[in-house]
Amino acid sequence: MSHKVHIILLNYANPSDTIECLESLKGIDYSNIEIIIVEICNLNNSLNELNKFLSSYSLSTTLLELNVNNGFAYANNHAIKYILTQKDKYFIWILNNDTIVKKESLQYLKKFYNNNINTKKIGFLGSKILEYSNPNIIQTVGGTFNPKTGFSKLIGKGEIDNRQYNEPFITDYVIGASMFFHVDLISQIGLMPEDYFLYYEDIDWCMTAKKQDFLNFTVPQSVVIHKQGASTGNKYNKKKTTSPTRKYMYSSYIKFYKKFYPK
């Protein structure tokens, strides 16, 4: 029996990206899924566009509405709280709505979990994230955080994908664009931290799991293609970020550091 996987997508003013992601999910080789879409503030006629598309969509889908934009973690937690009320809750896969998933992406995550849960204390599982405009370029395969310097580092960022990251490996954190985990993890480490409006909530969540001796892994056979920056207006290859983006980035950085490394 295949356990159900709930897939979370957040939509904020870009229904076309969400629809493209939903189209790619139709091709994955795993049938027992339910997609939870969180529609935030109904900008750009998003709600009508999504309802129109979903009226003929073949996969099980639930559309939740939020009338406030309180950030990435708040919206994901809104979906997670809904999932926790369901009887058949096992796995959750948080995906950015500006992603395209490969056919085997979910299957590899679940297979790794099933093969290792009896010998390892598994926290979050992440994917190999490739650049949408050039899928030969790696955006990241996970991240490390150095408390001595205060810097996080995206592993593989900007490298040509020559299968140099070919086997699962432990990483400090996985990227919020693709986070897979068992629902039982929530009861042990809590929901995604809402201290941050944008940025660092995924790092915080993974580091919280790590502090409780969970292991976070990247499973590079699981491939996700990502339009990085589509939701914030900050594209991968741009040299400068916008002022609001910088504000969120640095304020989140300070909150994270004070929480985990106050000295």
Side-chain angles (χ1 to χ4, degrees):
M1 177 182 176
S2 61
H3 289 137
K4 176 168 280 190
V5 177
H6 286 88
I7 301 173
I8 299 175
L9 303 177
L10 307 185
N11 183 75
Y12 181 67
N14 56 354
S16 60
D17 281 344
T18 301
I19 289 170
E20 188 174 7
C21 181
L22 288 167
E23 289 285 10
S24 74
L25 286 169
K26 289 196 299 186
I28 63 174
D29 57 356
Y30 195 84
S31 58
N32 194 8
I33 65 173
E34 180 180 1
I35 303 167
I36 314 298
I37 303 170
V38 180
E39 167 54 43
I40 305 168
C41 295
N42 190 24
L43 301 177
N44 292 349
N45 198 35
S46 289
L47 195 56
N48 286 340
E49 289 291 323
L50 291 174
N51 277 322
K52 182 180 178 181
F53 175 80
L54 293 174
S55 65
S56 58
Y57 190 59
S58 58
L59 300 180
S60 176
T61 311
T62 298
L63 182 60
L64 305 177
E65 296 180 50
L66 275 178
N67 295 322
V68 293
N69 182 13
N70 286 338
F72 181 78
Y74 181 88
N76 275 299
N77 286 341
H78 184 66
I80 292 171
K81 289 173 184 177
Y82 165 81
I83 293 167
L84 293 178
T85 67
Q86 306 303 298
K87 291 182 179 180
D88 53 345
K89 52 185 183 292
Y90 291 96
F91 297 100
I92 295 176
W93 190 19
I94 294 176
L95 277 177
N96 270 25
N97 72 318
D98 57 346
T99 58
I100 305 297
V101 299
K102 292 289 189 178
K103 178 181 178 181
E104 308 88 357
S105 298
L106 175 55
Q107 191 71 263
Y108 274 119
L109 293 169
K110 188 171 180 294
K111 181 179 179 181
F112 179 86
Y113 183 93
N114 290 340
N115 288 346
N116 291 277
I117 190 56
N118 292 327
T119 58
K120 297 177 177 66
K121 192 176 178 182
I122 296 177
F124 294 99
L125 302 181
S127 307
K128 179 192 292 183
I129 312 293
L130 301 179
E131 173 63 29
Y132 182 88
S133 61
N134 184 354
N136 292 317
I137 301 297
I138 297 171
Q139 280 188 5
T140 180
V141 289
T144 60
F145 187 85
N146 187 335
K148 294 181 179 180
T149 63
F151 287 109
S152 60
K153 178 183 179 181
L154 295 177
I155 303 168
K157 179 180 178 182
E159 296 179 16
I160 296 174
D161 183 17
N162 289 319
R163 303 293 187 269
Q164 63 270 45
Y165 305 102
N166 209 32
E167 296 296 329
F169 61 90
I170 296 172
T171 186
D172 284 342
Y173 64 92
V174 304
I175 308 305
S178 175
M179 301 183 80
F180 179 89
F181 55 97
H182 195 283
V183 292
D184 286 349
L185 186 63
I186 301 297
S187 64
Q188 299 180 70
I189 70 168
L191 295 166
M192 186 181 288
E194 297 180 13
D195 312 69
Y196 316 88
F197 183 83
L198 190 65
Y199 299 116
Y200 274 85
E201 58 279 286
D202 50 354
I203 302 178
D204 183 313
W205 215 13
C206 288
M207 294 298 282
T208 298
K210 186 178 177 182
K211 286 184 73 173
Q212 297 189 35
D213 298 321
F214 288 96
L215 299 174
N216 304 311
F217 286 87
T218 294
V219 183
Q221 294 89 344
S222 170
V223 177
V224 172
I225 299 171
H226 182 210
K227 302 175 188 176
Q228 186 172 14
S231 59
T232 63
N234 180 34
K235 284 295 186 181
Y236 176 75
N237 288 320
K238 287 187 177 180
K239 294 181 180 180
K240 296 182 179 181
T241 58
T242 62
S243 294
T245 297
R246 289 189 179 202
K247 179 188 75 171
Y248 293 132
M249 186 180 296
Y250 288 115
S251 65
S252 294
Y253 166 83
I254 292 169
K255 290 176 182 177
F256 174 85
Y257 213 77
K258 284 183 176 179
K259 179 176 179 179
F260 285 93
Y261 307 102
K263 292 183 181 181

mmCIF file of all heavy atoms in Angstrom, residues 2-8 30 32 34 83 88-94 106 109-111 113-114 117 125 179-184:
data_model
loop_
_atom_site.group_PDB
_atom_site.id
_atom_site.type_symbol
_atom_site.label_atom_id
_atom_site.label_comp_id
_atom_site.label_asym_id
_atom_site.label_seq_id
_atom_site.Cartn_x
_atom_site.Cartn_y
_atom_site.Cartn_z
ATOM 1 N N SER A 2 0.587 2.192 -0.869
ATOM 2 C CA SER A 2 1.351 3.435 -0.936
ATOM 3 C C SER A 2 0.706 4.480 -0.042
ATOM 4 O O SER A 2 -0.487 4.743 -0.137
ATOM 5 C CB SER A 2 1.423 3.942 -2.376
ATOM 6 O OG SER A 2 0.132 4.216 -2.876
ATOM 7 N N HIS A 3 1.473 5.049 0.864
ATOM 8 C CA HIS A 3 0.951 6.057 1.768
ATOM 9 C C HIS A 3 0.739 7.384 1.043
ATOM 10 O O HIS A 3 1.502 7.750 0.154
ATOM 11 C CB HIS A 3 1.914 6.262 2.938
ATOM 12 C CG HIS A 3 1.943 5.101 3.883
ATOM 13 N ND1 HIS A 3 3.111 4.592 4.409
ATOM 14 C CD2 HIS A 3 0.941 4.340 4.395
ATOM 15 C CE1 HIS A 3 2.833 3.589 5.211
ATOM 16 N NE2 HIS A 3 1.534 3.404 5.211
ATOM 17 N N LYS A 4 -0.282 8.107 1.457
ATOM 18 C CA LYS A 4 -0.622 9.370 0.801
ATOM 19 C C LYS A 4 0.456 10.416 1.040
ATOM 20 O O LYS A 4 1.021 10.525 2.128
ATOM 21 C CB LYS A 4 -1.974 9.893 1.287
ATOM 22 C CG LYS A 4 -2.338 11.266 0.714
ATOM 23 C CD LYS A 4 -3.791 11.651 0.957
ATOM 24 C CE LYS A 4 -4.704 10.967 -0.041
ATOM 25 N NZ LYS A 4 -6.083 11.504 0.010
ATOM 26 N N VAL A 5 0.716 11.194 0.012
ATOM 27 C CA VAL A 5 1.608 12.344 0.099
ATOM 28 C C VAL A 5 0.781 13.600 -0.175
ATOM 29 O O VAL A 5 0.126 13.709 -1.214
ATOM 30 C CB VAL A 5 2.765 12.254 -0.915
ATOM 31 C CG1 VAL A 5 3.637 13.506 -0.835
ATOM 32 C CG2 VAL A 5 3.599 11.004 -0.667
ATOM 33 N N HIS A 6 0.782 14.524 0.776
ATOM 34 C CA HIS A 6 0.146 15.816 0.577
ATOM 35 C C HIS A 6 1.194 16.800 0.050
ATOM 36 O O HIS A 6 2.253 16.976 0.668
ATOM 37 C CB HIS A 6 -0.449 16.344 1.885
ATOM 38 C CG HIS A 6 -1.703 15.651 2.305
ATOM 39 N ND1 HIS A 6 -1.703 14.512 3.083
ATOM 40 C CD2 HIS A 6 -3.016 15.926 2.045
ATOM 41 C CE1 HIS A 6 -2.954 14.124 3.293
ATOM 42 N NE2 HIS A 6 -3.766 14.965 2.681
ATOM 43 N N ILE A 7 0.893 17.419 -1.077
ATOM 44 C CA ILE A 7 1.814 18.359 -1.712
ATOM 45 C C ILE A 7 1.275 19.777 -1.516
ATOM 46 O O ILE A 7 0.125 20.062 -1.860
ATOM 47 C CB ILE A 7 1.972 18.056 -3.212
ATOM 48 C CG1 ILE A 7 2.502 16.631 -3.404
ATOM 49 C CG2 ILE A 7 2.906 19.071 -3.870
ATOM 50 C CD1 ILE A 7 2.528 16.181 -4.850
ATOM 51 N N ILE A 8 2.096 20.650 -0.961
ATOM 52 C CA ILE A 8 1.672 22.021 -0.676
ATOM 53 C C ILE A 8 2.256 22.980 -1.704
ATOM 54 O O ILE A 8 3.476 23.010 -1.927
ATOM 55 C CB ILE A 8 2.103 22.458 0.735
ATOM 56 C CG1 ILE A 8 1.469 21.563 1.800
ATOM 57 C CG2 ILE A 8 1.737 23.926 0.993
ATOM 58 C CD1 ILE A 8 1.956 21.860 3.211
ATOM 59 N N TYR A 30 3.645 8.549 -9.073
ATOM 60 C CA TYR A 30 3.105 8.229 -7.751
ATOM 61 C C TYR A 30 1.668 8.733 -7.727
ATOM 62 O O TYR A 30 1.411 9.917 -7.976
ATOM 63 C CB TYR A 30 3.924 8.911 -6.653
ATOM 64 C CG TYR A 30 3.662 8.362 -5.266
ATOM 65 C CD1 TYR A 30 4.329 7.234 -4.815
ATOM 66 C CD2 TYR A 30 2.740 8.968 -4.423
ATOM 67 C CE1 TYR A 30 4.099 6.727 -3.541
ATOM 68 C CE2 TYR A 30 2.497 8.462 -3.153
ATOM 69 C CZ TYR A 30 3.181 7.347 -2.712
ATOM 70 O OH TYR A 30 2.944 6.834 -1.460
ATOM 71 N N ASN A 32 -0.924 8.227 -5.212
ATOM 72 C CA ASN A 32 -1.666 8.532 -3.988
ATOM 73 C C ASN A 32 -1.241 9.886 -3.427
ATOM 74 O O ASN A 32 -0.508 9.979 -2.437
ATOM 75 C CB ASN A 32 -1.466 7.432 -2.954
ATOM 76 C CG ASN A 32 -2.466 7.531 -1.812
ATOM 77 O OD1 ASN A 32 -3.401 8.330 -1.847
ATOM 78 N ND2 ASN A 32 -2.280 6.718 -0.792
ATOM 79 N N GLU A 34 -2.475 14.180 -2.712
ATOM 80 C CA GLU A 34 -3.454 15.263 -2.698
ATOM 81 C C GLU A 34 -2.686 16.573 -2.698
ATOM 82 O O GLU A 34 -1.752 16.757 -1.911
ATOM 83 C CB GLU A 34 -4.367 15.212 -1.479
ATOM 84 C CG GLU A 34 -5.395 16.356 -1.482
ATOM 85 C CD GLU A 34 -6.326 16.360 -0.283
ATOM 86 O OE1 GLU A 34 -6.171 15.479 0.588
ATOM 87 O OE2 GLU A 34 -7.183 17.242 -0.211
ATOM 88 N N ILE A 83 -3.830 19.607 6.794
ATOM 89 C CA ILE A 83 -3.412 18.219 6.567
ATOM 90 C C ILE A 83 -3.491 17.405 7.852
ATOM 91 O O ILE A 83 -3.901 16.238 7.851
ATOM 92 C CB ILE A 83 -1.988 18.177 5.979
ATOM 93 C CG1 ILE A 83 -1.976 18.782 4.569
ATOM 94 C CG2 ILE A 83 -1.445 16.744 5.942
ATOM 95 C CD1 ILE A 83 -0.584 19.065 4.034
ATOM 96 N N ASP A 88 -5.857 10.201 6.655
ATOM 97 C CA ASP A 88 -4.787 9.519 5.916
ATOM 98 C C ASP A 88 -3.608 10.464 5.692
ATOM 99 O O ASP A 88 -3.281 10.843 4.580
ATOM 100 C CB ASP A 88 -5.293 8.974 4.587
ATOM 101 C CG ASP A 88 -5.997 10.039 3.743
ATOM 102 O OD1 ASP A 88 -6.338 11.111 4.289
ATOM 103 O OD2 ASP A 88 -6.193 9.797 2.545
ATOM 104 N N LYS A 89 -2.980 10.867 6.776
ATOM 105 C CA LYS A 89 -1.836 11.785 6.697
ATOM 106 C C LYS A 89 -0.548 11.011 6.990
ATOM 107 O O LYS A 89 -0.418 10.363 8.026
ATOM 108 C CB LYS A 89 -2.002 12.941 7.675
ATOM 109 C CG LYS A 89 -2.305 12.530 9.119
ATOM 110 C CD LYS A 89 -2.566 13.744 9.991
ATOM 111 C CE LYS A 89 -2.805 13.349 11.451
ATOM 112 N NZ LYS A 89 -4.083 12.611 11.605
ATOM 113 N N TYR A 90 0.379 11.086 6.077
ATOM 114 C CA TYR A 90 1.656 10.391 6.243
ATOM 115 C C TYR A 90 2.831 11.291 5.876
ATOM 116 O O TYR A 90 3.673 11.582 6.713
ATOM 117 C CB TYR A 90 1.683 9.107 5.391
ATOM 118 C CG TYR A 90 0.750 8.043 5.885
ATOM 119 C CD1 TYR A 90 -0.529 7.905 5.342
ATOM 120 C CD2 TYR A 90 1.134 7.161 6.902
ATOM 121 C CE1 TYR A 90 -1.401 6.930 5.809
ATOM 122 C CE2 TYR A 90 0.282 6.181 7.368
ATOM 123 C CZ TYR A 90 -0.994 6.073 6.818
ATOM 124 O OH TYR A 90 -1.860 5.113 7.286
ATOM 125 N N PHE A 91 2.859 11.730 4.614
ATOM 126 C CA PHE A 91 3.987 12.532 4.145
ATOM 127 C C PHE A 91 3.505 13.883 3.628
ATOM 128 O O PHE A 91 2.388 14.008 3.107
ATOM 129 C CB PHE A 91 4.737 11.804 3.024
ATOM 130 C CG PHE A 91 5.368 10.509 3.456
ATOM 131 C CD1 PHE A 91 4.751 9.296 3.184
ATOM 132 C CD2 PHE A 91 6.574 10.507 4.136
ATOM 133 C CE1 PHE A 91 5.324 8.100 3.579
ATOM 134 C CE2 PHE A 91 7.159 9.311 4.541
ATOM 135 C CZ PHE A 91 6.535 8.106 4.263
ATOM 136 N N ILE A 92 4.396 14.876 3.751
ATOM 137 C CA ILE A 92 4.129 16.209 3.209
ATOM 138 C C ILE A 92 5.307 16.596 2.326
ATOM 139 O O ILE A 92 6.471 16.377 2.683
ATOM 140 C CB ILE A 92 3.955 17.244 4.344
ATOM 141 C CG1 ILE A 92 2.710 16.917 5.178
ATOM 142 C CG2 ILE A 92 3.846 18.662 3.774
ATOM 143 C CD1 ILE A 92 2.514 17.822 6.384
ATOM 144 N N TRP A 93 4.988 17.147 1.187
ATOM 145 C CA TRP A 93 6.019 17.649 0.271
ATOM 146 C C TRP A 93 5.705 19.107 -0.015
ATOM 147 O O TRP A 93 4.725 19.414 -0.699
ATOM 148 C CB TRP A 93 6.026 16.825 -1.014
ATOM 149 C CG TRP A 93 7.194 17.093 -1.930
ATOM 150 C CD1 TRP A 93 8.382 17.687 -1.622
ATOM 151 C CD2 TRP A 93 7.283 16.745 -3.323
ATOM 152 N NE1 TRP A 93 9.208 17.734 -2.715
ATOM 153 C CE2 TRP A 93 8.556 17.158 -3.768
ATOM 154 C CE3 TRP A 93 6.421 16.119 -4.212
ATOM 155 C CZ2 TRP A 93 8.973 16.964 -5.078
ATOM 156 C CZ3 TRP A 93 6.827 15.925 -5.524
ATOM 157 C CH2 TRP A 93 8.094 16.343 -5.955
ATOM 158 N N ILE A 94 6.495 20.002 0.543
ATOM 159 C CA ILE A 94 6.352 21.433 0.267
ATOM 160 C C ILE A 94 7.118 21.752 -1.005
ATOM 161 O O ILE A 94 8.320 21.483 -1.109
ATOM 162 C CB ILE A 94 6.882 22.271 1.444
ATOM 163 C CG1 ILE A 94 6.008 22.066 2.689
ATOM 164 C CG2 ILE A 94 6.937 23.752 1.076
ATOM 165 C CD1 ILE A 94 6.513 22.774 3.928
ATOM 166 N N LEU A 106 9.228 12.555 -6.703
ATOM 167 C CA LEU A 106 8.585 12.166 -5.454
ATOM 168 C C LEU A 106 8.933 10.730 -5.071
ATOM 169 O O LEU A 106 9.193 10.433 -3.897
ATOM 170 C CB LEU A 106 7.074 12.339 -5.579
ATOM 171 C CG LEU A 106 6.236 11.871 -4.390
ATOM 172 C CD1 LEU A 106 6.680 12.539 -3.095
ATOM 173 C CD2 LEU A 106 4.753 12.141 -4.647
ATOM 174 N N LEU A 109 12.246 10.406 -3.239
ATOM 175 C CA LEU A 109 12.207 10.910 -1.869
ATOM 176 C C LEU A 109 11.572 9.893 -0.933
ATOM 177 O O LEU A 109 12.103 9.589 0.138
ATOM 178 C CB LEU A 109 11.431 12.229 -1.825
ATOM 179 C CG LEU A 109 12.074 13.421 -2.532
ATOM 180 C CD1 LEU A 109 11.078 14.567 -2.635
ATOM 181 C CD2 LEU A 109 13.339 13.877 -1.813
ATOM 182 N N LYS A 110 10.442 9.374 -1.351
ATOM 183 C CA LYS A 110 9.736 8.413 -0.511
ATOM 184 C C LYS A 110 10.519 7.098 -0.383
ATOM 185 O O LYS A 110 10.572 6.502 0.693
ATOM 186 C CB LYS A 110 8.342 8.141 -1.086
ATOM 187 C CG LYS A 110 7.461 7.292 -0.175
ATOM 188 C CD LYS A 110 6.046 7.243 -0.673
ATOM 189 C CE LYS A 110 5.191 6.379 0.249
ATOM 190 N NZ LYS A 110 5.586 4.966 0.228
ATOM 191 N N LYS A 111 11.140 6.668 -1.465
ATOM 192 C CA LYS A 111 11.925 5.433 -1.432
ATOM 193 C C LYS A 111 13.098 5.572 -0.468
ATOM 194 O O LYS A 111 13.383 4.655 0.324
ATOM 195 C CB LYS A 111 12.431 5.101 -2.836
ATOM 196 C CG LYS A 111 13.238 3.810 -2.915
ATOM 197 C CD LYS A 111 13.679 3.545 -4.355
ATOM 198 C CE LYS A 111 14.508 2.265 -4.437
ATOM 199 N NZ LYS A 111 14.956 2.004 -5.837
ATOM 200 N N TYR A 113 13.313 7.543 2.119
ATOM 201 C CA TYR A 113 12.766 7.548 3.477
ATOM 202 C C TYR A 113 12.467 6.115 3.933
ATOM 203 O O TYR A 113 12.871 5.699 5.027
ATOM 204 C CB TYR A 113 11.509 8.405 3.537
ATOM 205 C CG TYR A 113 10.924 8.510 4.930
ATOM 206 C CD1 TYR A 113 11.267 9.566 5.758
ATOM 207 C CD2 TYR A 113 10.036 7.547 5.416
ATOM 208 C CE1 TYR A 113 10.760 9.660 7.049
ATOM 209 C CE2 TYR A 113 9.528 7.624 6.704
ATOM 210 C CZ TYR A 113 9.889 8.682 7.511
ATOM 211 O OH TYR A 113 9.385 8.754 8.786
ATOM 212 N N ASN A 114 11.747 5.376 3.115
ATOM 213 C CA ASN A 114 11.350 4.011 3.487
ATOM 214 C C ASN A 114 12.549 3.089 3.685
ATOM 215 O O ASN A 114 12.539 2.224 4.571
ATOM 216 C CB ASN A 114 10.423 3.422 2.423
ATOM 217 C CG ASN A 114 9.057 4.086 2.414
ATOM 218 O OD1 ASN A 114 8.652 4.702 3.398
ATOM 219 N ND2 ASN A 114 8.347 3.961 1.301
ATOM 220 N N ILE A 117 14.539 4.721 7.217
ATOM 221 C CA ILE A 117 13.915 5.158 8.455
ATOM 222 C C ILE A 117 14.191 4.216 9.623
ATOM 223 O O ILE A 117 14.204 4.633 10.790
ATOM 224 C CB ILE A 117 12.384 5.342 8.264
ATOM 225 C CG1 ILE A 117 11.766 6.038 9.492
ATOM 226 C CG2 ILE A 117 11.713 4.019 7.967
ATOM 227 C CD1 ILE A 117 12.361 7.366 9.847
ATOM 228 N N LEU A 125 13.981 15.863 3.780
ATOM 229 C CA LEU A 125 14.626 15.412 2.555
ATOM 230 C C LEU A 125 14.440 16.463 1.482
ATOM 231 O O LEU A 125 13.341 16.996 1.311
ATOM 232 C CB LEU A 125 14.038 14.078 2.093
ATOM 233 C CG LEU A 125 14.112 12.903 3.066
ATOM 234 C CD1 LEU A 125 13.501 11.653 2.430
ATOM 235 C CD2 LEU A 125 15.542 12.635 3.508
ATOM 236 N N MET A 179 10.782 20.442 0.105
ATOM 237 C CA MET A 179 11.010 19.885 1.448
ATOM 238 C C MET A 179 10.032 18.734 1.666
ATOM 239 O O MET A 179 8.821 18.937 1.689
ATOM 240 C CB MET A 179 10.808 20.940 2.531
ATOM 241 C CG MET A 179 11.696 22.149 2.447
ATOM 242 S SD MET A 179 11.435 23.308 3.842
ATOM 243 C CE MET A 179 12.401 22.495 5.130
ATOM 244 N N PHE A 180 10.565 17.536 1.852
ATOM 245 C CA PHE A 180 9.753 16.340 2.035
ATOM 246 C C PHE A 180 9.976 15.809 3.442
ATOM 247 O O PHE A 180 11.120 15.721 3.908
ATOM 248 C CB PHE A 180 10.155 15.286 0.999
ATOM 249 C CG PHE A 180 9.405 13.983 1.094
ATOM 250 C CD1 PHE A 180 8.214 13.802 0.406
ATOM 251 C CD2 PHE A 180 9.902 12.927 1.855
ATOM 252 C CE1 PHE A 180 7.522 12.593 0.476
ATOM 253 C CE2 PHE A 180 9.220 11.726 1.938
ATOM 254 C CZ PHE A 180 8.023 11.566 1.250
ATOM 255 N N PHE A 181 8.890 15.421 4.134
ATOM 256 C CA PHE A 181 9.040 14.910 5.491
ATOM 257 C C PHE A 181 7.800 14.134 5.905
ATOM 258 O O PHE A 181 6.727 14.265 5.296
ATOM 259 C CB PHE A 181 9.287 16.058 6.481
ATOM 260 C CG PHE A 181 8.242 17.145 6.458
ATOM 261 C CD1 PHE A 181 7.201 17.155 7.362
ATOM 262 C CD2 PHE A 181 8.307 18.170 5.526
ATOM 263 C CE1 PHE A 181 6.232 18.148 7.345
ATOM 264 C CE2 PHE A 181 7.350 19.179 5.486
ATOM 265 C CZ PHE A 181 6.306 19.164 6.406
ATOM 266 N N HIS A 182 7.951 13.320 6.949
ATOM 267 C CA HIS A 182 6.822 12.587 7.519
ATOM 268 C C HIS A 182 6.102 13.501 8.496
ATOM 269 O O HIS A 182 6.730 14.295 9.201
ATOM 270 C CB HIS A 182 7.322 11.332 8.230
ATOM 271 C CG HIS A 182 6.238 10.339 8.533
ATOM 272 N ND1 HIS A 182 5.351 10.513 9.577
ATOM 273 C CD2 HIS A 182 5.891 9.171 7.936
ATOM 274 C CE1 HIS A 182 4.502 9.500 9.609
ATOM 275 N NE2 HIS A 182 4.801 8.662 8.617
ATOM 276 N N VAL A 183 4.782 13.392 8.559
ATOM 277 C CA VAL A 183 4.005 14.289 9.423
ATOM 278 C C VAL A 183 4.394 14.147 10.894
ATOM 279 O O VAL A 183 4.234 15.096 11.675
ATOM 280 C CB VAL A 183 2.486 14.059 9.263
ATOM 281 C CG1 VAL A 183 2.014 14.480 7.887
ATOM 282 C CG2 VAL A 183 2.119 12.612 9.561
ATOM 283 N N ASP A 184 4.905 12.995 11.300
ATOM 284 C CA ASP A 184 5.302 12.805 12.696
ATOM 285 C C ASP A 184 6.401 13.778 13.117
ATOM 286 O O ASP A 184 6.564 14.059 14.313
ATOM 287 C CB ASP A 184 5.783 11.369 12.923
ATOM 288 C CG ASP A 184 4.641 10.364 12.938
ATOM 289 O OD1 ASP A 184 3.481 10.799 12.984
ATOM 290 O OD2 ASP A 184 4.911 9.151 12.885
#
